[in-house]
């Protein structure tokens, strides 16, 4: 099975970086939720952007932890940037000779690039301009996600009905940077 990969884009954020990351991750999760879903409307206060999230404590805590971890990592880097990958997996049952086992197979990945800008004291006009640009970037990401989930869904595997909002396994990862050239090309 081919993995479908989607690049959401790169966003430059200031102090609102964690909230922006959560907005993008929750938007993807909400629109890939195929089980019983309780929607939750969330507003990014500084940007006046509204998005939908899955009302699920486990999903919310997991995404919050991963976003916090990612922000901690990029704050220590120079330059202060990185990529997040949200991956969805199918659990396939494989049989080899007389033994059966579960194999986790990735069918979809979403990439988000994030650059953390240094927050300096800005005049109100400059700060409003920065927030306006960020709002436009976030709205572009949300629009891309909505368009993609509606157009690109033939690769999603069938599943048995589930009480879980997301019937697939998922995780959020960050490529680890090293000095090798092929890995550093991931950051470009």
């Amino acid at each position: 099975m081919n993995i479908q990969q989607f690049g959401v884009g790169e966003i430059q954020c200031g102090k609102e970086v964690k909230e922006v990351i959560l907005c993008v991750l929750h938007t993807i999760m909400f629109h890939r939720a195929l089980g019983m879903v309780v929607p939750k409307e969330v507003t990014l206060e500084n940007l006046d952007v509204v998005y939908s999230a899955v009302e699920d404590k486990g999903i919310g805590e997991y995404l919050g932890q991963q976003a916090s971890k990612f922000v901690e990592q990029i704050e220590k880097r120079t330059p202060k940037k990185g990529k997040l990958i949200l991956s969805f997996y199918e659990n396939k049952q494989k049989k080899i000779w007389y033994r059966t086992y579960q194999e986790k197979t990735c069918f979809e990945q979403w990439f988000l690039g994030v650059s953390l800008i240094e927050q300096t004291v800005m005049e109100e006009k400059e700060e409003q301009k920065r927030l306006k640009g960020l709002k436009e970037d976030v709205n572009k990401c949300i629009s891309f996600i909505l368009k993609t989930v509606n157009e690109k869904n033939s690769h999603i595997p069938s599943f048995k009905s589930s009480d879980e909002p997301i019937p697939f396994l998922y995780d959020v990862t960050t490529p680890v940077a090293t000095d090798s050239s092929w890995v550093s090309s991931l950051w470009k």
Side-chain angles (χ1 to χ4, degrees):
M1 178 189 293
N2 291 335
I3 300 172
Q4 291 290 311
Q5 297 180 325
F6 308 109
V8 177
E10 183 163 327
I11 296 180
Q12 292 187 341
C13 301
K15 61 184 180 263
E16 60 285 305
V17 63
K18 181 179 175 187
E19 290 76 22
V20 169
I21 291 169
L22 286 172
C23 169
V24 173
L25 293 176
H26 273 291
T27 300
I28 296 167
M29 293 294 276
F30 180 79
H31 292 283
R32 281 300 186 227
L34 304 172
M36 295 293 290
V37 177
V38 177
K40 174 178 153 184
E41 190 175 274
V42 183
T43 304
L44 289 174
E45 295 299 329
N46 286 349
L47 303 177
D48 196 30
V49 171
V50 178
Y51 65 94
S52 297
V54 176
E55 178 81 39
D56 182 271
K57 186 178 179 183
I59 292 172
E61 285 179 4
Y62 176 74
L63 294 180
Q65 290 168 354
Q66 297 305 327
S68 294
K69 244 192 278 188
F70 177 72
V71 171
E72 287 173 18
Q73 288 175 2
I74 64 172
E75 284 176 338
K76 295 174 186 171
R77 294 183 184 152
T78 303
K80 297 183 180 308
K81 61 194 250 177
K83 288 191 180 181
L84 270 176
I85 304 170
L86 172 58
S87 302
F88 291 96
Y89 302 89
E90 175 184 23
N91 229 350
K92 288 185 173 181
Q93 200 168 48
K94 296 284 186 173
K95 191 171 188 173
I96 295 182
W97 292 49
Y98 57 88
R99 195 176 130 216
T100 304
Y101 67 96
Q102 296 288 327
E103 180 181 74
K104 188 171 143 180
T105 307
C106 183
F107 65 88
E108 183 175 273
Q109 291 183 317
W110 294 81
F111 297 86
L112 172 65
V114 178
S115 294
L116 187 61
I117 58 173
E118 295 294 326
Q119 286 293 130
T120 58
V121 178
M122 292 185 193
E123 289 184 25
E124 190 173 330
K125 223 176 194 180
E126 289 177 346
E127 179 67 3
Q128 286 176 349
K129 183 179 176 184
R130 184 188 74 80
L131 290 174
K132 183 181 178 189
L134 180 57
K135 178 180 180 173
E136 289 172 6
D137 290 347
V138 171
N139 282 326
K140 282 180 191 173
C141 286
I142 291 172
S143 295
F144 174 79
I145 293 165
L146 295 176
K147 181 180 179 201
T148 303
V149 297
N150 288 320
E151 292 177 357
K152 311 272 184 174
N153 54 22
S154 62
H155 65 281
I156 297 176
S158 59
F159 63 95
K160 295 177 183 170
S161 72
S162 170
D163 290 337
E164 296 295 319
I166 311 289
F168 308 109
L169 302 173
Y170 57 89
D171 66 12
V172 177
T173 56
T174 304
V176 179
T178 66
D179 290 337
S180 66
S181 61
W182 70 271
V183 173
S184 51
S185 68
L186 288 173
W187 299 103
K188 295 180 181 172

